[in-house]
Amino acid sequence: MSALKILVIPGSLRAGSHNVRLAAAAAHHFAQAGADVTRISLADFALPIYDGDLQAKSGVPKNALNLKRMIGAHHGVLLVTPEYNSSVPALLKNTIDWITRVQDAHETRGQMLRERPFAIAAASESRLGGTRALAALRLILSACQATVIPSQLALSFAHQAYDDMDRLKNPADIEALSALVKQLIEVSQSMM
């Protein structure tokens, strides 16, 4: 059996983002658990705002195709989202909108999302820790027929959550992240 490959995608581009830091902490946990981890930035896959007329005229952008194929090359995916106005940021929603439009010749539309599990996490300085964004993201992914594991992490008071190595400090947060990592690994292995 090939090594388990996990892709970690933070849904923020902001310097010093709590969600980028959470993605780094999660990537470390996946590596500690023996997974082959890839962490990317959506800045490397810049996409225009989704527009059906643009797609009809120019096709799917190369970055959407590349990102979709990168997701397809991994057994499981962790999306780490900020919360903007009680929902997911436009960057992450737009990315999902584009990658669901990519269909290689040998597959059905959305097959890539259906064939691998997704985990979701959020970090926020608020007490709720991004729970509303997680609910919205779970709904979006579920509507795309993606398997979203039950475990999730809503990291509250994220401005106080990390040590100098960008690792989580609070034992309860570490336990929640560990549960998410374990469950995504187990579900990914069962779908390989």
Side-chain angles (χ1 to χ4, degrees):
M1 182 181 283
S2 61
L4 181 71
K5 297 175 73 174
I6 300 293
L7 181 62
V8 178
I9 306 174
S12 177
L13 304 178
R14 189 173 57 81
S17 163
H18 297 307
N19 289 278
V20 171
R21 295 175 79 189
L22 181 55
H28 176 75
H29 275 254
F30 280 114
Q32 293 293 103
D36 180 5
V37 183
T38 304
R39 183 167 50 104
I40 64 167
S41 170
L42 291 177
D44 296 328
F45 298 90
L47 294 165
I49 297 296
Y50 179 74
D51 176 345
D53 290 338
L54 175 65
Q55 180 183 356
K57 178 181 176 187
S58 306
V60 175
K62 185 173 182 170
N63 278 341
L65 178 62
N66 291 341
L67 181 57
K68 181 260 182 193
R69 288 182 177 160
M70 176 168 280
I71 291 170
H74 290 78
H75 301 105
V77 180
L78 170 62
L79 297 175
V80 185
T81 184
E83 182 174 280
Y84 293 176
N85 298 315
S86 301
S87 191
V88 297
L91 171 68
L92 189 53
K93 177 65 166 80
N94 188 60
T95 298
I96 294 168
D97 289 344
W98 272 116
I99 63 172
T100 59
R101 297 326 191 260
V102 178
Q103 181 179 340
D104 286 321
H106 62 281
E107 64 186 14
T108 61
R109 184 171 170 185
Q111 181 177 339
M112 177 269 311
L113 291 174
R114 291 189 302 274
E115 292 182 344
R116 66 207 17 83
F118 286 76
I120 57 176
S124 171
E125 292 186 7
S126 78
R127 179 179 52 83
L128 295 178
T131 55
R132 295 168 296 201
L134 290 175
L137 183 55
R138 185 175 293 277
L139 179 63
I140 292 164
L141 291 170
S142 296
C144 296
Q145 298 181 337
T147 298
V148 185
I149 66 167
S151 289
Q152 65 181 33
L153 174 59
L155 182 64
S156 304
F157 309 114
H159 57 295
Q160 303 168 2
Y162 305 98
D163 64 18
D164 294 338
M165 300 291 293
D166 276 346
R167 307 285 187 260
L168 296 176
K169 298 187 297 188
N170 182 314
D173 295 336
I174 295 167
E175 184 178 332
L177 180 57
S178 294
L180 179 148
V181 165
K182 181 181 178 198
Q183 190 170 68
L184 184 59
I185 287 173
E186 288 174 354
V187 174
S188 297
Q189 288 172 331
S190 73
M191 293 178 70
M192 287 174 70

